[in-house]
Amino acid sequence: MAATVGRFAPTPSGRMHLGNLFSALLAWLSVRAEDGELLLRIEDLDTLRCSEENADILREDLRWLGLDWDREMPPQHSRSGYYESVLERLRERGTVFPCWCTRGDLKNAPNAPHASDGHPIYPGACRRLSAAERAAKSAERPPITRLAVPDETISFVDGNYGPYSENLSRECGDFILRRADGVFAYQLAVVADDIAGGVNQVVRGRDLLSSTPRQLYLYRLLDAPPPRYFHVPLLTAPDGRRLSKRDEDLDMGILREKYSPQELLGALGHAAGLLERSESVTARELTGLFDPAKIGREDVAIQLEARG
Ligand code: GLU
């Protein structure tokens, strides 16, 4: 088995934009530069927002750029049986509890503190319910499943952003493992799948840096060694706006009509600090230039030659 096992974990909720490709390229380079193994995993837990058709287009867009993978894991929508077994193990090791609080309840809770990403920190109401109260509420509607977190600071050293810590109970709160409609939460699925795939290197956007302490706590409860983490800056539009799947001007459908794969890779390689200017380059050529120390921490405004 290859020493380094990394992955792409895209969500097929629309066409990829350049920001998604920036993370994908850096995950690809981090593995290819070390002769490691790269997995592709389609993260389509949310079947209402994701589709098979988008997943096919996404694979095709990656291939068009020359970003290949060695193995594809089964898509997340097909893995609820496995996630169920992981949830069962968490029940044995941690404090998993059903919760009926609505978003409104959490928003209106008096003096509820908020986490860094703006979500209200769960005040613990349903943690203390008696068995009889749980039974009565269950008869009304299905619960959310949460994991109670300890008053403990989880610290790790990110390969790019350096030391990072978060106190789980004060800065995050009891987090969701499964939604009321039965869909497993990203936090549980991503850890369960990275363990199943033997992933030991995670390269992804810095918007997920703040999820990492929760994920490290799950690794601990599941007795599995966590991967190395390397978070990368986000790409912004030329005017500094954060890219989203709604930015159709920078989505792959439009970009592929205007630019060649080599031109796009040049712009991404330049944004990653690997090229002095945006010039045509292949993915293979970038592996020779790859140096994680050049990536930087500041978000980068993408520069593309204006065209049609
Ligand atoms: N599926 C997530 C996304 O598309 C990435 C998850 C991860 O890399 O951990 O943003």
Side-chain angles (χ1 to χ4, degrees):
M1 199 172 115
T4 295
V5 184
R7 51 31 162 217
F8 296 137
T11 302
S13 57
R15 196 81 186 244
M16 284 191 292
H17 57 63
L18 266 185
N20 304 126
L21 290 174
F22 187 60
S23 306
L25 172 65
L26 293 174
W28 186 87
L29 286 171
S30 306
V31 169
R32 293 293 177 241
E34 289 183 25
D35 222 3
E37 187 184 20
L38 191 72
L39 312 186
L40 172 68
R41 177 173 70 241
I42 300 294
E43 299 216 322
D44 56 355
L45 287 170
D46 192 340
T47 48
L48 290 179
R49 286 173 53 236
C50 298
S51 70
E52 288 285 349
E53 193 194 347
N54 282 342
D56 284 340
I57 295 174
L58 193 152
R59 289 186 193 91
E60 219 284 299
D61 281 342
L62 290 171
R63 283 195 200 101
W64 180 81
L65 275 172
L67 304 182
D68 59 346
W69 54 95
D70 303 303
R71 185 153 58 92
E72 177 163 355
M73 295 183 71
Q76 289 189 326
H77 82 263
S78 67
R79 288 170 65 78
S80 13
Y82 169 59
Y83 302 142
E84 189 65 59
S85 70
V86 171
L87 180 59
E88 220 25 68
R89 278 174 51 211
L90 291 171
R91 281 203 175 93
E92 287 158 17
R93 305 291 308 272
T95 310
V96 173
F97 64 95
C99 168
W100 287 268
C101 294
T102 62
R103 240 178 244 165
D105 294 337
L106 300 184
K107 259 220 242 88
N108 301 329
N111 309 322
H114 284 71
S116 54
D117 65 2
H119 80 262
I121 291 180
Y122 181 69
C126 289
R127 232 204 236 200
R128 296 178 285 269
L129 295 178
S130 66
E133 286 168 319
R134 283 184 181 165
K137 283 182 181 282
S138 285
E140 281 167 29
R141 59 191 162 90
I144 291 167
T145 305
R146 285 185 189 270
L147 180 68
V149 294
D151 181 6
E152 184 186 325
T153 298
I154 305 270
S155 304
F156 74 104
V157 180
D158 184 71
N160 192 26
Y161 287 88
Y164 186 87
S165 6
E166 182 178 83
N167 179 288
L168 286 182
S169 71
R170 274 185 278 128
E171 297 173 75
C172 168
D174 298 346
F175 61 90
I176 298 179
L177 298 175
R178 190 171 56 190
R179 299 188 333 204
D181 61 5
V183 173
F184 284 91
Y186 156 71
Q187 307 293 351
L188 178 143
V190 79
V191 168
D193 279 338
D194 281 339
I195 292 173
V199 169
N200 57 20
Q201 171 182 274
V202 168
V203 176
R204 61 186 179 187
R206 69 149 181 84
D207 49 333
L208 292 165
L209 189 57
S210 64
S211 287
T212 311
R214 271 170 279 180
Q215 295 173 10
L216 287 170
Y217 183 55
L218 291 177
Y219 276 97
R220 191 208 295 171
L221 292 180
L222 295 168
D223 255 337
R228 301 186 294 279
Y229 289 98
F230 190 101
H231 287 84
V232 302
L234 302 180
L235 277 196
T236 67
D239 62 5
R241 253 177 324 123
R242 185 166 161 185
L243 295 180
S244 82
K245 292 217 161 125
R246 285 181 297 273
D247 277 305
E248 285 175 7
D249 45 337
L250 289 175
D251 93 14
M252 282 299 277
I254 304 288
L255 292 171
R256 282 180 64 164
E257 285 171 15
K258 295 192 198 166
Y259 302 95
S260 67
Q262 293 78 12
E263 285 170 320
L264 289 182
L265 287 167
L268 295 171
H270 176 56
L274 307 178
L275 292 172
E276 270 176 34
R277 48 201 162 75
S278 176
E279 57 193 306
S280 289
V281 70
T282 62
R284 281 281 152 210
E285 282 161 351
L286 279 175
T287 48
L289 303 170
F290 183 61
D291 176 359
K294 291 195 172 153
I295 294 171
R297 296 178 179 176
E298 296 294 322
D299 290 351
V300 199
I302 188 72
Q303 305 297 340
L304 280 171
E305 210 174 295
R307 216 168 275 175

